[in-house]
Amino acid sequence: MHRNLSKAVVMLALAALVLTAGTAFAAGTLTMGTNAEFPPFEYVEGDAVVGVDAEIAAEIAKDLGLELVIENMAFDSVIPALVSGQIDIGVAAMTVKPERLNSVDFSKTYYNARQACIVRKDGGVTDGETLYGAAIGVQNGTTGDYAAEEYSETIERYAKALDAVLELAGGKLDAVIVDAPVAQNIIDALGDDNLILLDNIAFEDEFYAVAIPKGKPELVESINQTIDRITQDGTLDAILLKYFPATEEAE
Ligand code: ARG
């Protein structure tokens, strides 16, 4: 009897510990890691990181009652930073990939994207056939990087997709593979008529989600609830509309 009681007390204490451990954030903050070189999902404006993902993360933080802190880092540092506990969540237009699920968990997905291939109008790459063996620029460690590997061994890896596109514009590369919404955004921003998107290569659907350190089911659950809420109450549509030209299909 006495033994059972103390056992129950220990179990309760353990349960309390597990629960609080899962929601104990440094000084009431939620630290999001991202690579703010990916407009319109994340980019630097003045001193701030803004974009679709920053706004989604703000909704997540609001629902958790935490203050959002954003850490800007290389894209291929986001997963290591989650694993080492340097950041609480990764919101970086990150595509859910089986390989990534070995290191982190993902929330529900919030955006459907695809890769796109940018070329020069006056260049030699016009389709999947001519892309084989071409000099392809990518952002290091992205799904564009993996997609490029299907076509060529000549891959130049950059910290920023923009730098790859500038090299393409300057004639140093034959093509750039990057997420379609970002490809369009960069082309529009550069205003270079010689840069076009190929529409004849069938890339796979990709889905973006929030990356979360493994072993935090309550955090995943809370983020999923926020994603449900902003999907249902129109907040997500409003955020997408704000960052995508009205002429473009947001999803
Ligand atoms: N969706 C691609 C991936 O998951 C590219 C993401 C790049 N994100 C960024 N913030 N730079 O690999």
Side-chain angles (χ1 to χ4, degrees), residues 35 38 42 75 92-95 100 139 142-143 179 206 208:
N35 168 251
F38 218 62
E42 41 265 340
F75 179 71
M94 194 181 285
T95 304
R100 292 174 177 166
Q139 186 181 22
T142 59
T143 44
D179 298 37
E206 295 188 16
Y208 298 169

Side-chain angles (χ1 to χ4, degrees), residues 76-172:
D76 59 358
S77 296
V78 174
I79 288 181
L82 286 164
V83 171
S84 71
Q86 184 192 329
I87 55 175
D88 299 312
I89 57 174
V91 198
M94 194 181 285
T95 304
V96 178
K97 295 271 296 171
E99 300 86 331
R100 292 174 177 166
L101 279 162
N102 291 330
S103 327
V104 292
D105 286 334
F106 281 102
S107 68
K108 289 188 171 183
T109 62
Y110 61 84
Y111 191 84
N112 179 193
R114 202 166 286 149
Q115 295 302 303
C117 183
I118 314 176
V119 297
R120 279 188 318 279
K121 225 185 273 177
D122 63 6
V125 177
T126 52
D127 56 12
E129 219 34 64
T130 44
L131 184 59
Y132 280 107
I136 307 176
V138 298
Q139 186 181 22
N140 192 29
T142 59
T143 44
D145 190 347
Y146 307 138
E149 285 175 350
E150 307 283 318
Y151 287 94
S152 184
E153 279 171 10
T154 313
I155 301 175
E156 297 294 333
R157 297 179 169 87
Y158 298 83
K160 314 173 186 186
L162 173 64
D163 289 346
V165 180
L166 289 173
E167 297 280 58
L168 169 68
K172 208 195 149 206

